[in-house]
């Protein structure tokens, strides 16, 4: 079993991506699920429509909330945005590691003294990008090389961890150590539809490769029985 660093709260490993257009549908799904069995993620679409009030309502239901806004701007702006997200009561927040060392360090410093400071993770290479996409924006080499480069930079800039594909988890676990939090989307139970994800792994495989937390959206939220789908994943990763 992967050992969680002392500052990482124990609890559910699955983070359910609440990718709904508005607060009502997201809250309806949150009421069906159980905050002792999963955490939840609010992304750009839902946060833009539901805002901090939605985060507060999810917290009132008992959920720890990953506010996934992938900040990428000048250091001062990102630092202020991270401070605001922390004051909304986020459990986890993220920035683009491509924003560089000074931006990430400023983000970390901005939330350092927050009570119950959120975990701060860096987005490495989006799982939608391939080598050709990287070449087009002037990044040579493979996605894996760039993920490793950005993960090292995130670690050296004081971040708690990174978001990566399950396929890169083992590489980063070996490079960055047990204490570096790895959050992996692109998780699909063997029986689930792949949807538009490309670089995927099963929940058991992702945990075995070293992921701390699994972000899972449609296999749970679009299932006929979302609770049963969540429990199947929890059972698959239990004890790992
Ligand atoms: O429905 P699905 O399980 O594919 O949802 C995955 C979630 O993880 C979505 O909210 C998506 O935005 C997010 N995500 C991702 N790949 C990344 C970062 C985040 O799929 N590299």
């Amino acid at each position: 079993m992967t050992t969680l660093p002392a500052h990482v709260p124990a609890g559910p490993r699955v983070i359910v991506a609440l990718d709904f257009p508005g607060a009502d549908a997201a809250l309806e799904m949150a009421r069906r699920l159980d905050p002792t069995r999963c955490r939840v993620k609010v992304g750009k679409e839902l946060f833009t429509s539901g805002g901090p009030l939605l985060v507060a309502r999810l917290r009132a239901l008992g959920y720890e909330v990953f506010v996934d806004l992938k900040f990428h701007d000048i250091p001062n702006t990102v630092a202020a945005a991270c401070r605001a997200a922390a004051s909304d009561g986020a459990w986890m927040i993220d920035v683009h590691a491509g924003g560089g060392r000074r931006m990430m360090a400023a983000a970390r410093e901005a939330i350092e003294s927050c009570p119950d400071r959120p975990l701060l993770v860096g987005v490495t290479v989006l799982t939608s990008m391939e080598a050709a996409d990287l070449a087009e924006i002037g990044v040579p080499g493979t996605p894996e090389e760039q993920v490793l480069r950005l993960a090292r930079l995130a670690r050296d800039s004081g971040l708690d961890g990174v978001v990566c594909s399950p396929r890169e988890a083992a590489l980063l676990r070996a490079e960055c150590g047990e204490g570096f939090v790895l959050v992996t989307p692109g998780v699909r139970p063997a029986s689930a539809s792949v949807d538009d994800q490309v670089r995927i792994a099963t929940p058991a495989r992702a945990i075995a490769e070293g992921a701390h937390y699994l972000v899972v959206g449609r296999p749970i939220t679009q299932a006929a029985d979302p609770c049963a789908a969540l429990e199947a994943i929890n059972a698959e990763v239990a004890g790992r």
Side-chain angles (χ1 to χ4, degrees):
M1 183 172 174
T2 307
T3 311
L4 293 176
H7 65 283
V8 177
R13 311 287 287 267
V14 175
I15 304 172
V16 178
L18 295 176
D19 290 326
F20 294 100
D24 289 349
L27 287 165
E28 191 186 322
M29 178 57 59
R31 286 192 197 97
R32 290 179 75 176
L33 298 171
D34 177 348
T36 69
R37 306 299 294 156
C38 65
R39 295 176 161 104
V40 293
K41 179 173 89 67
V42 174
K44 286 189 172 83
E45 179 187 19
L46 186 56
F47 190 85
T48 300
S49 65
L53 178 61
L54 173 64
V55 176
R57 292 177 76 185
L58 290 167
R59 294 184 70 223
L61 291 174
Y63 286 99
E64 293 189 302
V65 184
F66 176 12
V67 177
D68 173 26
L69 298 178
K70 299 184 180 67
F71 296 127
H72 191 169
D73 211 309
I74 60 172
N76 187 55
T77 301
V78 167
C82 287
R83 200 178 297 116
S87 71
D88 289 344
W91 160 74
M92 178 181 281
I93 60 177
D94 57 355
V95 300
H96 268 286
R101 183 187 298 272
R102 283 188 297 116
M103 189 201 82
M104 288 190 277
R108 172 62 200 255
E109 218 223 303
I111 60 168
E112 192 54 46
S113 57
C114 295
D116 296 324
R117 88 160 172 86
L119 291 168
L120 175 63
V121 296
V123 177
T124 53
V125 176
L126 295 171
T127 43
S128 53
M129 295 188 85
E130 300 172 340
D133 301 299
L134 292 178
E136 216 166 33
I137 59 167
V139 176
T142 65
E144 288 72 23
E145 287 165 344
Q146 180 67 358
V147 167
L148 189 55
R149 180 182 298 124
L150 290 175
R152 284 185 184 130
L153 187 62
R155 179 198 57 195
D156 295 347
S157 306
L159 267 56
D160 297 300
V162 290
V163 181
C164 65
S165 141
R167 307 261 179 108
E168 288 127 23
L171 176 69
L172 299 191
R173 173 68 51 235
E175 173 68 23
C176 299
E178 285 298 310
F180 199 61
V181 174
L182 300 182
V183 182
T184 64
V187 173
R188 287 290 179 273
S191 60
S193 161
V194 168
D195 301 312
D196 53 354
Q197 294 283 8
V198 181
R199 311 187 63 232
I200 59 169
T202 62
R205 178 79 195 273
I207 295 282
E209 297 284 323
H212 286 113
Y213 298 112
L214 312 179
V215 174
V216 187
R218 288 161 291 182
I220 292 172
T221 58
Q222 304 300 314
D225 184 343
C227 295
L230 170 62
E231 277 322 302
I233 295 173
N234 278 333
E236 190 177 325
V237 304
R240 286 176 182 272

